[in-house]
Amino acid sequence: MRVNSWNGWDPLRHVLVGRADGTMVQAPEPAVQRDFPADGFPLGTYGPMPEEMTAAANEQLDAFAVQLAARGVQVSRPTPIDFSQPVSTPDWEHPTGFGCMPPRDVLITVGNEILEATMCYRSRWFEYLCYRPVLQELFEADPDMRWEAAPKPRLTDASFVPGFWNEYQTLSKAEQLARVAEHDLVLTEEEPLFDAADIARFGVDLFVQLSLVTNRKGVDWLRRHFPDHRVHEVTFTNTHPLHIDATWVPLRPGLVLHNGERPADPELVKYFEVNDWQVVEAVQPASWKHHPRLSFCSPWLAVNILNLDPRTVCVEAEEVRLAEQLDGLGMEVVPVPFRAVGPFGGGLHCATVDIWREGGLEDYFPNRCGRF
Ligand code: ABU
């Protein structure tokens, strides 16, 4: 076993796949409020995800793990804790935890380092514990592994804008987008906050999205933590920015998939273009039975795909149009039934963490451009 991964496309050798066991619709908290009346969780209510949904999600997660193993990829799994317990620190108490699907939000591998993100949901404060058995095993097996954790945040009320959600939902789309552009959202700059899934890895370049779960201080912390990388703060035109991996998706060197419903900063597009990258707009996603918003995701989980190597990509089985598009771009598509996992917090990328991909650190962006 070894820890090594610099980007999202090199040949995959070892991966972590999440579990849906015990997932909760968490109690309302300053960073997030979940409101899914059609699925039995109107605002203010919380509790375990319905048993049949959990079982169906676990069935698909387990089958994906088997499918990866059959392709020669080693698979590790987290150890769920009891997410129905209250979570408390000396500063606050929260009635519930959340789950350990999706692991991509919590962990990121950069080279031989696995970094535990700060997170900003109180319900997710102890989620890292689910991954500690795997991290301990890796630490013992690979003498070069660097095991790091970003500073645990206090998450007192000072970390959140009071009354944000009540106000934000009264704004027009244009007003919301103006707030996103100014990064005037729910998080204050009290302390560094980021989710690992807001980071897209392209070798030396790390693109970090400012979002509902990542603040400027979080990006600054990452910049200081990875001095040998170019860490870029990026935003997209999206009223609910949450993780970059359904918005700006690396496919292989020279090719990035873009969710055109969330237009990218023109300077970011230019930076890719002057470095001979092709930016391709993804086709529209297929429809959903259980709206993935149950998990605070959008139907754009379609593009939340997992590369097995630069020419092979796992795509959710119902996303036929996307599979055809990727086929046309020279990718071999591996269809994976994963619809039942969406409401638990993500697609194939969210549900996994790269532990080992072949390859080393490379600079894919030799040309500077604008602020990049
Ligand atoms: N990591 C999940 C992203 C979900 C979304 O953008 O809709």
Side-chain angles (χ1 to χ4, degrees), residues 161-182:
V161 172
F164 171 82
W165 292 108
N166 286 344
E167 188 206 349
Y168 197 65
Q169 68 188 11
T170 66
L171 302 180
S172 67
K173 185 174 177 193
E175 288 168 331
Q176 289 185 342
L177 290 176
R179 295 281 292 267
V180 170
E182 287 156 24

Side-chain angles (χ1 to χ4, degrees), residues 264-288:
D265 175 350
E267 278 197 30
L268 175 68
V269 176
K270 188 95 190 293
Y271 183 53
F272 274 67
E273 287 173 350
V274 299
N275 284 289
D276 295 327
W277 282 69
Q278 192 188 352
V279 179
V280 174
E281 190 171 325
V283 295
Q284 284 291 311
S287 61
W288 286 78

Side-chain angles (χ1 to χ4, degrees), residues 102 105 197 238 240 242-247 259 262 293 296-301 304 345-347 350:
D105 300 1
N238 176 5
H240 284 77
L242 178 79
H243 305 152
I244 197 169
D245 57 355
T247 300
N259 171 349
R262 301 171 181 172
R293 270 262 175 248
F296 41 70
C297 294
S298 76
W300 283 101
L301 285 184
N304 193 257
C350 302

